[in-house]
Amino acid sequence: MAQQVKRAFKYRFYPTSEQAAELSRTFGCVRLVYNKALDERTEAWYGEQRRISYAQSSAALTQWKKTPEFAFLAEVSCVPLQQALRHLQTAFVNFFAKRAAYPRFKSRKRSRASAEYTRSAFTWRDGHLKPAKMDAPLDIRWSRPLPGGAEPSTVTVSRDSAGRWFVSLLCQDSIICAPATSAAVGADAGITSLVTLSTGEKIINPWHERRDRARLASAQRNLARKAKGSANWDKARRKVARVHARIADRRRDFLHKLSTRLVRENQTVVIEDLAVGNLLKNRTLARAISDAAWAQLRSMLEYKCAWYGRELIVIDRWFPSSKLCGTCGTVRAKLPLNVREWTCDCGAEHDRDVNAACNILAAGLAASACGDGVRPQRNTSRTRRSSAKQETQRATAGAPCLLSGEEVNL
């Protein structure tokens, strides 16, 4: 069975000097329109308790173009500017729905430089893409083909901090669901072992940032010696950005391969709902946790399971997976991080990570069988959280360590 999904295909391209100048000018105008509209919305709300809609912001953009101060906005394509207002509207909708923080201003140095073109603002012909205001198609390096006969509906052009240019093509793609299997796996995220599976397999952390730490430190020291804002400072800044880009690219590639393997081999994947933001407050482990990129791995598992007909179960973050004995159900009062192996009073010997992965799998399958499903959010009620934890412990107490492909015996 196949399902139709919208999928983005990202490619690198090399613009001419004229194209780079036009795109850079467009990036600046997009950032200006976004920040100016955000400033007006903020002043209207805090000064007059008045909300400004997208239609009002769009009408204001038309008036800005008629003023001498912002007449240059009419020199670039109008579609990316309108898309910036739509993105701002989405940001406010998410804020009022309490799904995100208040929208922030875009920085010229720190924000991602990008412009989004809808179908009316670019030409697609025989595999050649030409955005509006361009005199020639972009020189795209097609690292992989687009789906047969697919044409992009939205094009996003961006430039990262390392100076690399990318184009993302949003297309309609047909994805065939993976063959059904009875295998299920629990995954416990860690630092030394990036992921420990309930099968007993430990996937070693590649330590992408640590492997390039000396190169990064050297580039940062070189940057610190330059006069800020000079041409040499900009060259040194790009070298630092290239090291960061190398680390991020290698990490993303590894996580894609790992998540694809887990989704391909298992019908059900069970993970923990980790509060990564809170864990990063630990100064001792913050650097290692950031390098592990647990949140990025979870995001990949979520959309790949949805694509290929798999089930992803996220258990409560307060479930004591490491301290719970998978044999008798006893919960230890304390289990410091330096204790990697421990023996329960019942005589069972446990590897900390493998035991946690087995308990995660048992808890996830028990919650799924009881209809409790996915619980990705923290329950603010202490009483309900405690009762939910007790129910999960009762369901998993005495459950055997479930291996991939075995039946659940609850």
Side-chain angles (χ1 to χ4, degrees):
M1 182 178 65
Q3 60 174 329
Q4 298 294 323
V5 299
K6 288 187 175 181
R7 188 174 182 180
F9 295 83
K10 191 174 182 179
Y11 303 92
R12 191 171 179 180
F13 75 97
Y14 296 86
T16 63
S17 56
E18 293 80 6
Q19 291 174 339
E22 178 64 29
L23 290 173
S24 298
R25 186 160 51 248
T26 303
F27 295 160
C29 293
V30 167
R31 183 177 60 251
L32 171 64
V33 169
Y34 185 94
N35 289 341
K36 186 169 177 58
L38 175 57
D39 182 59
E40 289 194 354
R41 284 193 173 208
T42 303
E43 289 185 358
W45 174 252
Y46 287 101
E48 309 172 15
Q49 293 294 306
R50 177 174 57 89
R51 291 188 180 184
I52 298 179
S53 65
Y54 162 75
Q56 293 172 320
S57 297
S58 180
L61 174 60
T62 303
Q63 298 301 320
W64 297 342
K65 294 179 180 180
K66 297 179 181 179
T67 62
E69 183 180 3
F70 298 106
F72 60 88
L73 293 177
E75 299 176 2
V76 301
S77 174
C78 64
V79 173
L81 307 184
Q82 294 290 342
Q83 290 299 102
L85 296 180
R86 290 189 177 93
H87 293 164
L88 179 61
Q89 176 66 20
T90 303
F92 271 103
V93 169
N94 292 332
F95 167 71
F96 288 122
K98 298 183 179 180
R99 291 191 296 264
Y102 192 82
R104 295 183 296 179
F105 292 97
K106 292 184 180 294
S107 170
R108 183 174 64 88
K109 296 181 180 179
R110 298 182 180 181
S111 299
R112 173 173 171 262
S114 64
E116 185 176 292
Y117 298 83
T118 57
R119 194 63 185 89
S120 61
F122 65 88
T123 302
W124 174 264
R125 186 174 300 166
D126 299 330
H128 297 286
L129 174 67
K130 188 174 73 171
K133 303 291 184 177
M134 296 289 173
D135 56 350
L138 300 179
D139 182 16
I140 302 176
R141 304 305 164 90
W142 299 99
S143 55
R144 54 176 173 170
L146 289 177
E151 292 190 3
S153 59
T154 304
V155 170
T156 302
V157 181
S158 61
R159 183 188 61 214
D160 65 4
S161 57
R164 302 180 300 177
W165 296 83
F166 295 95
V167 58
S168 180
L169 309 178
L170 184 64
C171 304
Q172 194 78 9
D173 191 14
S174 178
I175 296 182
I176 301 176
C177 294
T181 176
S182 61
V185 68
D188 176 60
I191 296 179
T192 303
S193 298
L194 181 63
V195 173
T196 301
L197 304 180
S198 55
T199 59
E201 179 185 358
K202 293 186 177 182
I203 300 173
I204 304 301
N205 192 342
W207 298 107
H208 298 292
E209 187 271 339
R210 179 184 293 182
R211 290 166 61 182
D212 281 347
R213 187 172 296 178
R215 181 182 301 179
L216 178 61
S218 176
Q220 290 174 332
R221 285 195 300 268
N222 188 30
L223 175 63
R225 299 189 187 102
K226 308 300 180 184
K228 190 172 183 179
S230 64
N232 287 334
W233 177 86
D234 188 63
K235 292 179 182 179
R237 181 196 62 80
R238 287 182 181 271
K239 289 183 179 180
V240 174
R242 282 197 292 269
V243 178
H244 279 295
R246 169 185 167 90
I247 295 172
D249 290 345
R250 293 166 60 186
R251 180 189 296 121
R252 188 184 308 108
D253 178 72
F254 179 82
L255 293 180
H256 268 300
K257 293 176 180 177
L258 174 59
S259 58
T260 299
R261 175 199 159 190
L262 293 178
V263 171
R264 181 178 297 164
E265 295 178 352
N266 302 278
Q267 184 68 31
T268 303
V269 181
V270 187
I271 59 175
E272 282 184 298
D273 177 31
L274 297 176
V276 179
N278 294 335
L279 295 174
L280 290 176
K281 296 178 182 178
N282 186 332
R283 296 183 179 182
T284 305
L285 300 176
R287 195 168 191 173
I289 293 174
S290 298
D291 192 20
W294 296 332
Q296 190 175 8
L297 176 60
R298 172 176 172 173
S299 176
M300 292 179 180
L301 288 174
E302 285 178 346
Y303 77 79
K304 290 181 181 180
C305 284
W307 279 0
Y308 297 104
R310 302 308 197 193
E311 182 183 13
L312 178 66
I313 302 176
V314 184
I315 67 170
D316 196 283
R317 69 182 60 167
W318 304 105
F319 176 66
S321 58
S322 298
K323 297 186 291 184
L324 175 66
C325 176
T327 302
C328 66
T330 303
V331 180
R332 292 192 56 165
K334 293 183 179 180
L335 191 64
L337 284 177
N338 61 340
V339 178
R340 310 314 301 176
E341 296 181 356
W342 59 282
T343 303
C344 182
D345 295 336
C346 67
E349 298 182 356
H350 298 294
D351 179 281
R352 179 194 183 103
D353 298 330
V354 176
N355 176 67
C358 294
N359 289 331
I360 288 172
L361 176 60
L365 295 178
S368 179
C370 297
D372 201 10
V374 179
R375 302 181 56 197
Q377 299 297 331
R378 174 179 176 179
N379 195 328
T380 55
S381 172
R382 186 177 299 272
T383 304
R384 292 179 61 187
R385 184 177 68 222
S386 301
S387 62
K389 183 190 298 185
Q390 293 171 4
E391 289 295 330
T392 308
Q393 290 178 12
R394 283 196 292 267
T396 57
C401 181
L402 301 173
L403 300 181
S404 178
E406 293 184 348
E407 285 189 58
V408 185
N409 185 16
L410 298 176

